[in-house]
Amino acid sequence: SAKREGQNTWRIFDESLLDEARERFELEADLRKSIEGDNFTAHFQAKINLQTGEIAGVEALMRWNHPDMGSIPPGVFIPLAEQTGLIIPLGERIMTDACHFARHWNDGNRKPIRVSVNLSARQVMLDDFIPMLKGCISRAGCRAEWLELEITESMLMSDPQRIDELMRGLSALGVAVSIDDFGTGYSAISSLTRYPIATLKIDRSFVHTRVNDGKPSAIARTIVAMARELGIKCVAEGIELAAEADMLRKIGCDEGQGFLWHKPMPEEEFFRWVTRHEKSAAAQ
Ligand code: C2E
Ligand code: MG
Ligand code: MG
Ligand code: MG
């Protein structure tokens, strides 16, 4: 009967909703436990100076070591962490790791490089973001100019007053700002002259595409030209082919990042990669 069908339909709908809620709830509980258990680590990926081949910077990318499911990528847990407010302790965790890394690297005999950290919208809307950042920097014995924070275009466009305050705070501290995934969000072109933006990162969708066949897209070329005109450094992310790196170098892109050199990896492994990279660069 219609009534029965209705009930069945309701039950199916209900159960799938319940499953989804249960899954989310479980993942959230796991996330909480993992934060207490310290199951998060930063992986690191180099930014290469395309003109000289030198390591110009490093990006810290968070990984969740789930007890049963293994390494979970940030695309899965960052949105959940934002919804639940857990991004606050997580954000502090990655900032701490990045500051220690910057101290470790820059205290040696190396040329100082910047370590970049990704920020999420919810994190910067918090009143004590700048004090948290200062705390991480001073506890690690790191310097503000060794850090760079990556924010997205949509964050720039979201809450002008808040962003003004954030930018002033970061400028006062001496921490650089980079616009991540440039070209994919709401246009932030007017913000480029309004705020002291140090770096534009061309989104990998304009860098590595199957149809590109090693040629950077017209958009990548345009972003590089605009960045140069404005005196802003330009980084291309997601470089997978040597041909892509060559073309980006030719059009004047400053730095590149991508699987062509290496995938993001834990600190120890990253330092081993650096040693190999420097040896092979010296041999050339
Ligand atoms: P993103 O900041 O744009 O980082 C670049 C992403 O592209 C990273 O993914 C990196 O592993 C990947 N990638 C780098 N080179 C290549 C390449 O040559 N080919 C391909 N196919 N991929 C490449 P990941 O680590 O999964 O991070 C995804 C996004 O999650 C990041 O995008 C960033 O927006 C966010 N995220 C990562 N760590 C954090 C964090 O600590 N805090 C916050 N708020 N967000 C984070
Ligand atoms: Mg980034
Ligand atoms: Mg990016
Ligand atoms: Mg990206």
Side-chain angles (χ1 to χ4, degrees), residues 105-120:
W105 180 289
N106 291 326
D107 258 5
N109 302 318
R110 303 173 179 283
K111 205 160 143 188
I113 58 167
R114 271 193 164 131
V115 180
S116 48
V117 178
N118 296 280
L119 298 184
S120 80

Side-chain angles (χ1 to χ4, degrees), residues 40-272:
F40 291 85
T41 44
H43 280 203
F44 296 92
Q45 189 181 34
K47 292 178 185 167
I48 306 294
N49 179 320
L50 288 174
Q51 310 303 323
T52 65
E54 284 173 306
I55 296 166
V58 182
E59 179 172 8
L61 294 153
M62 208 183 322
R63 295 289 178 269
W64 178 7
N65 315 310
H66 190 278
D68 314 317
M69 290 183 266
S71 183
I72 299 185
V76 176
F77 68 85
I78 297 282
L80 184 62
E82 282 217 299
Q83 286 158 24
T84 54
L86 291 169
I87 193 68
I88 305 304
L90 268 183
E92 185 161 357
R93 174 65 221 256
I94 188 108
M95 198 64 77
T96 300
D97 283 3
C99 288
H100 277 112
F101 181 94
R103 164 81 196 258
H104 184 176
W105 180 289
N106 291 326
D107 258 5
N109 302 318
R110 303 173 179 283
K111 205 160 143 188
I113 58 167
R114 271 193 164 131
V115 180
S116 48
V117 178
N118 296 280
L119 298 184
S120 80
R122 176 110 186 234
Q123 211 182 350
V124 300
M125 290 307 145
L126 228 77
D127 277 334
D128 53 353
F129 174 74
I130 296 278
M132 181 278 282
L133 178 60
K134 276 188 188 159
C136 290
I137 292 173
S138 70
R139 278 192 301 274
C142 169
R143 289 206 209 141
E145 63 266 28
W146 293 342
L147 290 181
E148 180 166 64
L149 303 182
E150 299 195 359
I151 64 176
T152 60
E153 288 177 297
S154 21
M155 280 165 69
L156 269 182
M157 308 304 279
S158 60
D159 183 341
Q161 211 185 323
R162 202 75 195 148
I163 290 297
D164 277 349
E165 276 170 42
L166 176 75
M167 290 295 182
R168 258 182 278 126
L170 294 176
S171 280
L173 257 180
V175 172
V177 175
S178 158
I179 310 295
D180 206 351
D181 302 336
F182 191 79
T184 60
Y186 299 107
S187 164
I189 291 174
S190 64
S191 311
L192 297 181
T193 49
R194 178 160 177 200
Y195 299 122
I197 307 294
T199 310
L200 282 190
K201 292 187 77 178
I202 308 173
D203 190 66
R204 76 163 186 261
S205 59
F206 307 123
V207 172
H208 179 79
T209 54
R210 238 171 271 256
V211 291
N212 265 359
D213 198 21
K215 296 189 194 77
S217 70
I219 291 179
R221 277 201 306 271
T222 306
I223 296 175
V224 171
M226 181 177 66
R228 286 174 74 91
E229 206 62 47
L230 293 168
I232 298 174
K233 195 171 68 185
C234 203
V235 181
E237 66 172 28
I239 299 180
E240 297 191 0
L241 306 171
E244 288 161 355
D246 285 344
M247 287 303 289
L248 284 154
R249 179 190 314 112
K250 277 186 198 134
I251 63 171
C253 184
D254 302 293
E255 294 169 16
Q257 204 181 358
F259 296 171
L260 171 63
W261 293 280
H262 73 100
K263 290 189 173 175
M265 43 177 75
E267 181 163 346
E268 302 274 294
E269 204 181 327
F270 177 74
F271 274 104
R272 284 198 292 275

